[in-house]
Amino acid sequence: MTDRSPRTSLYYRFNRFLERHLPSRLYARSLIIVIAPLVILQTIMGGIILDRHWDNVTKVLGRSLAREIGLITELYDTSDKSEAALKQIEYTASHRLNLTLDITRDGQLPAPINRMFYSLVDDKLTKYLERETGRAFWIDSSADDGKVDIRVEVEKGLIFRILADEERTYASGTRWLLLAMLLSTLSLGLLAAVFMRNQVRPIVDLARAAQDFGMGRGSADFRPRGAAEVRQAGEAFLDMRRRIARHVEQRTAMLAGVSHDLRTILTRFKLELAVLGDSPKVKPLQDDVREMHHMLEAYLAFVRGDEGEAATLTNVAQLAAEVAQATGRSGGTVTLGTLPEQPVRLRANAFRRLLANVLANAVRHGSRVEMAGMIRDDRLWLHVDDNGPGIPPESREEVFKPFVRLDPARTLDATGSGLGLAIARDIAQSHGGDIGLEDSPLGGLRVAIKVPV
């Protein structure tokens, strides 16, 4: 016998059901975990009270009232049935039994009342009155005056009408007990909601601080608080942030030194080649030095990243227009479509480098390049389309790896170092977004950029 697959087990299906139907936020789920058992417990207790207390008390009260009415009919049966006897029965019902008794001669019982809902009071009174009186009777417990109207046909044409307070027929105070249970449930639920919000808020603050830090936004006001485990996670986050900041600082200092030393050597090469003049033998050396310079700048740009640049509100349409104009000066033509005018919080210089790399790659391989974008679902979406040769779907993820060159297809930057799209994706991901490649409506490649706003 084979083991049951975890994906077909009842436990797995139950968890999948909860994942699909429960709220996605921790606060809402925590409230359900705390309040749902409370509501279920109160419901069970309410059911027990209704079944035990209300039913049993109504049974006792109904039996007692039926016996009192049976006593009245028995007094009539044992009397001489004179007017004086009837007066004595009325006196006994009023002063001894605290019942209002009206005696009607030549009367008849009203037509039965059709009730839409089941009445436990009428059901029990009917059963007990049948047992105690043995006569035809009529009951109305739906009056709004707080009375229960009971009419008994003592003999043909003689009707005893008994009016009893509703408290003597059923446990009328149960509704107040249920109301008190409801109010207590609401009060405890509100208290749980306030307490749970205070417990969840430090987790939300930690998640927001981590998100802001990952997107290059400041999170200096974050302070660990809450439960011990949450404070421990907050302290770990602060330690990680300090280590990353120290690493970036050390890397920046190292790059500054490397950049200075290498640029000094390249400058000496250029000066020495300039002294040699413009002979045909010197020109290839000059081209090699220029290419070496471009490659060095590309490598440094990739390793440097955003250098801790702060995110600011940036007009994306204006920034895209400036990058498109700069690309045009390099020999390419970019057509701008609809772009969002709403300012977006970005690292402006890093995002400018992202767009420059993407547009440079597009104009190098296509004669027609278009860029458009929008803000949707709290994200900035930008599309750069060209009509070039494109990239096969199976190779699209490869081009984002550093130093990968597609040959004979598209190269990724002017130096052929294989860092153009790698730098672009690194910048997009540092903003909390990403870059993907798709088929373009123009027949070439579409670069899809998405960044949260």
Side-chain angles (χ1 to χ4, degrees):
M1 184 168 125
T2 58
D3 293 337
R4 194 173 185 184
S5 173
R7 291 184 174 272
T8 61
S9 65
L10 181 61
Y11 177 76
Y12 175 79
R13 292 181 179 179
F14 179 70
N15 281 339
R16 291 295 298 166
F17 173 82
L18 292 180
E19 288 295 331
R20 286 195 300 268
H21 295 88
L22 283 179
S24 60
R25 294 188 175 276
L26 176 62
Y27 178 60
R29 291 191 176 190
S30 302
L31 285 182
I32 292 176
I33 294 173
V34 173
I35 294 178
L38 178 64
V39 173
I40 293 173
L41 176 62
Q42 292 286 56
T43 303
I44 294 175
M45 293 301 297
I48 294 175
I49 289 174
L50 286 177
D51 182 61
R52 301 292 181 183
H53 174 76
W54 198 80
D55 182 44
N56 292 341
V57 171
T58 300
K59 183 187 300 182
V60 172
L61 292 175
R63 185 187 298 119
S64 175
L65 180 61
R67 287 176 176 176
E68 292 174 354
I69 296 174
L71 175 62
I72 293 173
T73 59
E74 185 177 348
L75 290 175
Y76 176 77
D77 292 337
T78 58
S79 70
D80 57 5
K81 300 179 177 55
S82 63
E83 288 295 332
L86 293 178
K87 292 291 185 182
Q88 182 61 37
I89 292 174
E90 287 182 352
Y91 177 85
T92 301
S94 174
H95 292 81
R96 299 291 186 182
L97 302 179
N98 196 26
L99 296 173
T100 302
L101 174 63
D102 292 330
I103 300 176
T104 304
R105 296 183 180 274
D106 299 325
Q108 59 182 0
L109 296 176
I113 298 175
N114 294 324
R115 305 185 188 280
M116 295 181 60
F117 302 101
Y118 170 75
S119 174
L120 183 62
V121 175
D122 291 359
D123 178 72
K124 292 191 177 301
L125 275 178
T126 298
K127 181 174 67 174
Y128 296 135
L129 285 174
E130 288 176 350
R131 180 188 305 170
E132 299 293 337
T133 65
R135 292 175 169 83
F137 56 86
W138 177 88
I139 301 174
D140 181 14
S141 60
S142 60
D144 296 331
D145 57 357
K147 300 288 185 179
V148 176
D149 189 353
I150 304 173
R151 304 183 191 189
V152 181
E153 189 176 32
V154 180
E155 61 182 30
K156 188 65 176 179
L158 184 63
I159 305 297
F160 280 11
R161 182 187 183 190
I162 299 101
L163 295 177
D165 295 333
E166 62 180 10
E167 288 83 0
R168 299 188 60 179
T169 58
Y170 63 91
S172 59
T174 305
R175 67 185 66 175
W176 299 108
L177 178 60
L178 294 178
L179 179 60
M181 291 177 61
L182 177 61
L183 292 178
S184 64
T185 302
L186 293 177
S187 301
L188 291 174
L190 180 61
L191 181 63
V194 174
F195 177 77
M196 191 57 63
R197 177 178 289 276
N198 291 333
Q199 298 303 309
V200 172
R201 187 175 297 167
I203 302 176
V204 176
D205 292 342
L206 174 59
R208 186 179 296 112
Q211 183 180 20
D212 290 343
F213 178 68
M215 297 173 63
R217 301 172 183 174
S219 56
D221 56 343
F222 172 73
R223 294 292 183 273
R225 59 191 181 90
E229 294 82 359
V230 180
R231 291 199 305 271
Q232 184 178 3
E235 293 292 346
F237 165 74
L238 292 178
D239 291 340
M240 179 194 68
R241 190 176 66 178
R242 284 190 289 268
R243 287 195 299 269
I244 292 176
R246 186 167 59 251
H247 171 72
V248 171
E249 182 180 356
Q250 292 173 350
R251 190 183 66 172
T252 302
M254 180 194 69
L255 288 175
V258 171
S259 175
H260 178 268
D261 294 340
L262 292 179
R263 284 193 177 97
T264 300
I265 296 174
L266 286 176
T267 301
R268 288 205 303 265
F269 284 170
K270 291 179 182 179
L271 291 175
E272 292 172 357
L273 292 175
V275 173
L276 295 177
D278 295 329
S279 65
K281 294 182 179 181
V282 175
K283 191 174 185 309
L285 296 176
Q286 293 175 337
D287 295 337
D288 290 341
V289 170
R290 278 193 296 269
E291 183 177 358
M292 187 180 299
H293 175 76
H294 291 311
M295 293 180 67
L296 174 62
E297 293 297 329
Y299 294 153
L300 291 176
F302 175 72
V303 179
R304 187 186 305 119
D306 52 34
E307 288 188 337
E309 179 187 359
T312 58
L313 288 177
T314 305
N315 189 316
V316 177
Q318 180 179 352
L319 180 63
E322 294 174 357
V323 176
Q325 185 178 6
T327 304
R329 288 195 296 267
S330 302
T333 301
V334 179
T335 302
L336 295 180
T338 302
L339 290 168
E341 296 292 338
Q342 174 184 342
V344 177
R345 190 170 294 276
L346 301 169
R347 301 186 186 96
N349 292 331
F351 205 76
R352 185 191 305 273
R353 188 182 310 125
L354 182 155
L355 293 181
N357 286 359
V358 172
L359 289 180
N361 181 69
V363 299
R364 191 159 46 252
H365 299 282
S367 58
R368 180 182 175 189
V369 178
E370 297 179 359
M371 180 168 61
M374 69 185 75
I375 294 179
R376 186 183 71 234
D377 301 331
D378 295 328
R379 288 180 177 271
L380 168 65
W381 299 81
L382 291 176
H383 295 153
V384 177
D385 295 294
D386 64 56
N387 61 346
I391 296 178
E394 63 273 11
S395 301
R396 288 175 182 171
E397 280 301 314
E398 293 293 321
V399 301
F400 290 109
K401 296 179 180 179
F403 311 112
V404 171
R405 304 176 182 84
L406 294 183
D407 188 24
R410 309 161 68 115
T411 56
L412 304 181
D413 58 290
T415 64
S417 61
L419 292 174
L421 289 183
I423 293 174
R425 170 170 276 189
D426 183 65
I427 295 173
Q429 291 180 343
S430 70
H431 284 81
D434 202 357
I435 291 181
L437 302 180
E438 306 169 4
D439 292 330
S440 171
L442 302 183
L445 186 69
R446 162 173 284 188
V447 180
I449 306 166
K450 59 178 179 180
V451 175
V453 296

